[in-house]
Amino acid sequence: MGGLSRLEYRGYDSSGIAILGKGRPSVVRSTGKLVKLKNKLKNKALHGSTGIGHTRWATHGDATLKNAHPHSHGGTTVVHNGIVENYLELRDELSKKGHKFKSDTDTEIICHLIEDEADKGLSFERSVIAAFKRIEGSYAVALLSDRDPGKVIATRKFSPLVLAIGDNENYLASDIPAILPYSRDVVFLEDGDVAVLGRGSISIYDADGNTV
């Protein structure tokens, strides 16, 4: 929440966080200013040491609660800056496979695509790499999977994303001010890079899954 507060300068119309402990992630979202999300969290007990958060400025889909990030499908939860340019094509393809969508956003497509790849037996990392080969547009994305707790996977293309290395903890953000209070040891991802953050390690792969 401190990181989101330091990103308020960018403007936004909704916000949300997802915390993953045991089982499914706990997701709390709100429209309007960040103080509304903070008030919701006062009455919500969240347990876990892995999480993602987001402040959204509406592009695809109105500024409503159902369109606020994070979005989840199956075991995957996502936050996203940017635009999925081919989302209508992908949504149609996934709908024909039986996928049901809860929002009007392009972002929700991402977690459905990753689940589609995971259904083929791929790992969390490989599902993400395969899914983003099908996505056109700009993005900075952070992902959780309840099948692989303790990890955050991140990827970017044409949108900023920075990683930070802490003491037995690691962070990511779309801008440096969000993480400066916690670490000054940062890593900038290149376009197409996929980073896997654990408590004590960061692994980075290129768009083809080769180790960077």
Side-chain angles (χ1 to χ4, degrees):
M1 288 300 296
L4 294 183
S5 296
R6 283 181 283 276
L7 296 177
E8 283 191 284
Y9 70 88
R10 296 185 309 187
Y12 63 98
D13 47 48
S14 63
S15 59
I17 64 170
I19 304 296
L20 182 58
K22 295 181 179 178
R24 301 281 293 168
S26 298
V27 178
V28 183
R29 303 185 295 178
S30 178
T31 56
K33 294 300 181 184
L34 203 57
V35 66
K36 292 186 176 181
L37 181 63
K38 290 178 180 177
N39 288 335
K40 277 192 173 183
L41 290 169
K42 289 177 183 176
N43 302 314
K44 181 85 172 178
L46 300 179
H47 302 283
S49 59
T50 309
I52 54 179
H54 190 55
T55 52
R56 174 184 187 250
W57 185 260
T59 51
H60 293 294
D62 295 333
T64 59
L65 189 61
K66 74 174 182 178
N67 291 332
H69 298 204
H71 291 287
S72 297
H73 174 69
T76 302
T77 302
V78 61
V79 295
H80 164 226
N81 278 338
I83 296 175
V84 178
E85 292 176 356
N86 60 335
Y87 92 102
L88 288 175
E89 171 192 328
L90 292 170
R91 186 174 177 128
D92 183 58
E93 174 191 331
L94 290 163
S95 294
K96 289 175 180 176
K97 292 183 177 182
H99 288 251
K100 305 293 184 184
F101 297 92
K102 302 173 185 174
S103 77
D104 305 316
T105 68
D106 55 336
T107 296
E108 190 184 358
I109 293 292
I110 295 170
C111 48
H112 282 260
L113 273 179
I114 291 168
E115 287 296 306
D116 191 52
E117 296 295 343
D119 287 344
K120 301 173 186 176
L122 297 180
S123 67
F124 185 22
E125 288 95 325
R126 294 295 157 177
S127 296
V128 172
I129 290 168
F132 277 90
K133 286 184 178 295
R134 300 162 64 183
I135 291 172
E136 298 171 6
S138 63
Y139 48 80
V141 171
L143 297 143
L144 301 176
S145 173
D146 58 22
R147 292 187 295 271
D148 205 347
K151 288 181 181 176
V152 177
I153 294 187
T155 185
R156 70 169 291 263
K157 184 178 180 181
F158 306 145
S159 293
L161 190 62
V162 60
L163 314 180
I165 301 167
D167 182 13
N168 202 33
E169 57 193 5
N170 292 302
Y171 302 93
L172 76 162
S174 55
D175 202 0
I176 288 177
I179 48 180
L180 277 180
Y182 315 111
S183 174
R184 301 296 175 102
D185 192 0
V186 299
V187 178
F188 294 96
L189 295 183
E190 301 292 337
D191 276 349
D193 282 351
V194 176
V196 182
L197 286 74
R199 179 188 293 276
S201 65
I202 294 177
S203 302
I204 301 175
Y205 306 92
D206 65 19
D208 295 317
N210 302 307
T211 301
V212 175

